[in-house]
Amino acid sequence: MFMLKKLMFFAFIVLSTTLFGQQKRMLPYAIQEGTLNEQFTNLSTMSRSQAGDFKLIRRTNLEIVQKNVLDSIARYQKEITTLKANTSSSTGTINALRDSVTTLDAELQAERHKTDSISFLGIDFAKGSYHTMVWSIIIVFLLAFLITLASFRKAKVDTNEHQKTAAELQEELQNLRKKSLEKEQLLKRQLLDEQMKRNS
């Protein structure tokens, strides 16, 4: 019986040592996995309570969590530095793009001004004004041409009428001359007849 007690006591000690050793091996792993919040929760869970609000924390566990926190802070600082560098390069790129857009906008405005305006006799006209002016000049020339054509036709008609009237007057004059010649010849015959009568 005494031997059984010794054996059970020995088994209990071996089992406790094994369990304690496993727990000791598992504690750092439990602290290291998960987010920082989960690690602090695990650290608090694995710590022994003492006198109300106080807990006893193993130095190794605290060092593990501290190392994890510092590693996380270093990683975040590196990410922040990278993000700042990316932001700076992005800002430079954005500024360069803005300058390019401003330059392109100025060039576009100049091209629009060139395409929307026409230079005539050294004066720049808007296309609409230029087209209006050109069509006005064309209409004025067309009206002047039509008026000149109408005047020319009227002058031609008047000339034809004057020529016709002149021909008619010429013909009448010729007829009058003929008649006057015939009358003159008739009068001369009569005069000769009268003179012959007197002489005989």
Side-chain angles (χ1 to χ4, degrees), residues 36 39-40 62-78:
L36 287 176
Q39 290 176 22
F40 277 113
L62 186 61
E63 287 172 355
I64 290 169
V65 173
Q66 182 183 9
K67 182 182 176 299
N68 291 343
V69 168
L70 291 175
D71 288 346
S72 296
I73 289 171
R75 190 175 76 245
Y76 292 144
Q77 283 177 339
K78 192 175 179 182

XYZ file of all heavy atoms in Angstrom, residues 36 39-40 62-78:
169
model
N -2.248 42.018 -31.673
C -1.698 42.532 -30.407
C -2.755 42.510 -29.318
O -2.468 42.178 -28.159
C -1.177 43.964 -30.610
C 0.120 44.095 -31.403
C 0.459 45.559 -31.607
C 1.261 43.384 -30.705
N -2.991 39.042 -28.094
C -1.808 38.700 -27.304
C -1.902 39.276 -25.891
O -1.581 38.600 -24.901
C -0.535 39.218 -27.991
C -0.195 38.467 -29.273
C 0.998 39.047 -29.996
O 1.825 39.727 -29.387
N 1.104 38.753 -31.287
N -2.359 40.527 -25.767
C -2.537 41.117 -24.433
C -3.616 40.384 -23.649
O -3.492 40.179 -22.437
C -2.884 42.610 -24.550
C -1.688 43.489 -24.718
C -1.462 44.172 -25.899
C -0.766 43.630 -23.687
C -0.356 44.979 -26.051
C 0.344 44.454 -23.838
C 0.552 45.120 -25.017
N 6.184 38.871 -20.802
C 6.154 40.324 -21.011
C 7.160 40.720 -22.082
O 6.868 41.560 -22.956
C 6.460 41.045 -19.692
C 6.333 42.560 -19.717
C 4.902 42.966 -20.061
C 6.744 43.151 -18.376
N 8.336 40.091 -22.065
C 9.354 40.393 -23.067
C 8.892 39.971 -24.472
O 9.151 40.654 -25.460
C 10.670 39.701 -22.711
C 11.379 40.351 -21.534
C 12.582 39.534 -21.060
O 12.792 38.408 -21.597
O 13.304 40.016 -20.167
N 8.203 38.827 -24.534
C 7.681 38.365 -25.838
C 6.673 39.368 -26.389
O 6.749 39.779 -27.560
C 7.042 36.966 -25.705
C 8.142 35.915 -25.465
C 6.253 36.605 -26.944
C 7.620 34.554 -25.060
N 5.732 39.772 -25.523
C 4.699 40.727 -25.980
C 5.351 42.064 -26.332
O 4.998 42.711 -27.327
C 3.596 40.883 -24.913
C 2.631 41.994 -25.299
C 2.839 39.575 -24.757
N 6.329 42.488 -25.493
C 7.024 43.749 -25.761
C 7.732 43.680 -27.121
O 7.665 44.629 -27.913
C 8.037 44.035 -24.654
C 8.763 45.350 -24.843
C 9.822 45.584 -23.775
O 10.133 44.688 -22.984
N 10.374 46.773 -23.729
N 8.419 42.548 -27.385
C 9.104 42.377 -28.672
C 8.096 42.424 -29.828
O 8.341 43.040 -30.868
C 9.858 41.047 -28.680
C 10.648 40.798 -29.951
C 11.326 39.452 -29.897
C 12.048 39.146 -31.188
N 11.237 39.086 -32.354
N 6.947 41.749 -29.641
C 5.906 41.764 -30.681
C 5.392 43.176 -30.926
O 5.174 43.589 -32.069
C 4.752 40.841 -30.299
C 5.154 39.373 -30.333
O 6.172 39.017 -30.919
N 4.364 38.522 -29.687
N 5.207 43.937 -29.813
C 4.715 45.313 -29.951
C 5.744 46.160 -30.698
O 5.416 46.921 -31.619
C 4.395 45.919 -28.563
C 4.163 47.421 -28.669
C 3.175 45.251 -27.964
N 7.019 46.032 -30.306
C 8.072 46.804 -30.971
C 8.196 46.419 -32.441
O 8.398 47.274 -33.314
C 9.410 46.603 -30.246
C 9.488 47.226 -28.836
C 10.806 46.851 -28.161
C 9.332 48.734 -28.905
N 8.097 45.093 -32.719
C 8.145 44.641 -34.116
C 6.982 45.246 -34.921
O 7.162 45.692 -36.064
C 8.087 43.117 -34.209
C 9.385 42.462 -33.735
O 10.389 43.191 -33.604
O 9.378 41.229 -33.482
N 5.800 45.232 -34.296
C 4.621 45.792 -34.979
C 4.807 47.287 -35.220
O 4.509 47.796 -36.312
C 3.352 45.559 -34.158
O 3.093 44.175 -34.051
N 5.317 47.984 -34.181
C 5.539 49.427 -34.330
C 6.559 49.690 -35.437
O 6.368 50.581 -36.279
C 5.998 50.048 -32.987
C 4.823 50.062 -32.003
C 6.536 51.455 -33.184
C 5.201 50.454 -30.601
N 7.655 48.906 -35.459
C 8.678 49.074 -36.499
C 8.088 48.822 -37.881
O 8.364 49.556 -38.838
C 9.849 48.126 -36.234
N 7.269 47.749 -37.982
C 6.634 47.437 -39.270
C 5.700 48.563 -39.710
O 5.714 48.982 -40.870
C 5.879 46.108 -39.156
C 5.414 45.601 -40.522
C 4.770 44.239 -40.447
N 3.428 44.338 -39.902
C 3.039 43.815 -38.753
N 3.907 43.154 -37.995
N 1.797 43.954 -38.319
N 4.894 49.070 -38.748
C 3.961 50.157 -39.080
C 4.715 51.431 -39.464
O 4.318 52.146 -40.383
C 3.016 50.433 -37.910
C 2.046 49.300 -37.638
C 1.664 48.968 -36.337
C 1.514 48.542 -38.678
C 0.793 47.931 -36.086
C 0.638 47.496 -38.437
C 0.278 47.180 -37.139
O -0.579 46.159 -36.885
N 5.829 51.708 -38.744
C 6.614 52.887 -39.094
C 7.199 52.761 -40.491
O 7.230 53.726 -41.263
C 7.742 53.098 -38.068
C 7.249 53.695 -36.755
C 8.355 53.821 -35.732
O 9.371 53.135 -35.825
N 8.143 54.672 -34.745
N 7.668 51.543 -40.811
C 8.197 51.306 -42.156
C 7.108 51.497 -43.211
O 7.328 52.117 -44.259
C 8.765 49.880 -42.226
C 9.579 49.606 -43.460
C 10.211 48.237 -43.392
C 11.013 47.956 -44.651
N 11.591 46.615 -44.643
